[in-house]
Amino acid sequence: MAICTKCGNPKVIINRKQSGQSLCKECFIESIRRKAIKTIKKEKLLEKGDKVLVALSGGKDSVTLLDILDTFRKRNIIDICAVTVDEGIEGYRNEGVEIAIRHAERLGIEHKVVSFKDSFNITLDDMMKIPNHRGSCTYCGVFRRWIINRAARDFSATKIATGHNLDDETQAILMNYLEGNVDNLTKIGPKTESKSPLFTPKIKPLREIPEKEIGLYALAKDLEIHLAGCPYSQESFRGEIGEILKNLSKEHPTIMYSTLRGFDKIKEALKKENKGNFASNTCVICGEPSSNEICRACTFLNELNKN
Ligand code: SF4
Ligand code: ZN
């Protein structure tokens, strides 16, 4: 029987295949906190006085992110506010929204819930009833980013923090690579900045932590989280890539780490080579930053209205 590699406690909750480390509950919680802080320091994700908007869905990733960032708030290093996007997915989203509200109330932070219905006058479920639609996750991502970016300005936030984990990052790398989407590849990273002052920089403090360990952290800390999966998740290419990576990780436990590390090394060179398609205009319809005359959100809304 393994004992905790750090303190010798015989009550081990995790055996890390990738490092051979075994940890008890307390040492595991501390190791996750330290990992996130290491990413924050290494990538200079936070500055004293930042007002960080947490994209809080109520799921394990965003709740863990809020829990870790809150330690910085308690030490008066940053201020935190939160936004929850309600896409309008019947039987799925409501519970997450309620959990998010409870976390915000518990911590006493500013929080708002913004729905697709209020912002675009249509729910994601209704978009899926329209012929020739582009698929749930395409709309979901674009409209969600639109709402979060606008919320950041409403809150006067200086950073937007999202709960992307190691699995999410490696999925995005592989997915965009396989699709040949170099523009999107150059946007993957710990911090996304834009020349447009309308964009708030986005940070991902959990990007080096595997999804499984984030789930375990939430469990170990007894954090209330929304466990249900989105009913549309099977439809996505990302889901397929996720399966491939999970299967590979069984025999090659370090594969996600090496994918991320390798990508981080070539990213700067990639950015130099690829001038990219970056938001340098503002959308003539909604005024949000856009690389074209009309932003993706407004383009999609026009299409949906036509169909
Ligand atoms: Fe949105 Fe797709 Fe995620 Fe569901 S699985 S929440 S539709 S991005
Ligand atoms: Zn627009």
Side-chain angles (χ1 to χ4, degrees), residues 83-153:
V83 63
T84 304
V85 179
D86 178 357
E87 304 92 349
I89 305 173
E90 185 70 36
Y92 163 68
R93 179 49 75 212
N94 281 0
E95 196 191 334
V97 169
E98 277 161 24
I99 291 171
I101 291 172
R102 283 198 284 276
H103 279 297
E105 278 175 1
R106 176 175 62 84
L107 300 176
I109 56 170
E110 287 178 276
H111 175 227
K112 65 171 152 191
V113 180
V114 188
S115 70
F116 278 19
K117 180 79 182 160
D118 290 341
S119 307
F120 312 114
N121 202 25
I122 181 168
T123 64
L124 188 63
D125 282 341
D126 285 336
M127 291 178 200
M128 290 304 98
K129 292 177 190 143
I130 294 175
N132 302 324
H133 65 70
R134 291 175 180 251
S136 51
C137 302
T138 305
Y139 295 124
C140 192
V142 167
F143 292 132
R144 192 179 336 132
R145 277 194 293 277
W146 189 98
I147 287 176
I148 292 173
N149 196 48
R150 194 162 268 203
R153 293 203 308 273

Side-chain angles (χ1 to χ4, degrees), residues 122 130-132 294 298-307:
I122 181 168
I130 294 175
N132 302 324
I294 298 178
C298 292
T299 306
F300 290 170
L301 284 175
N302 282 344
E303 270 176 21
L304 290 165
N305 281 329
K306 247 186 255 159
N307 296 342

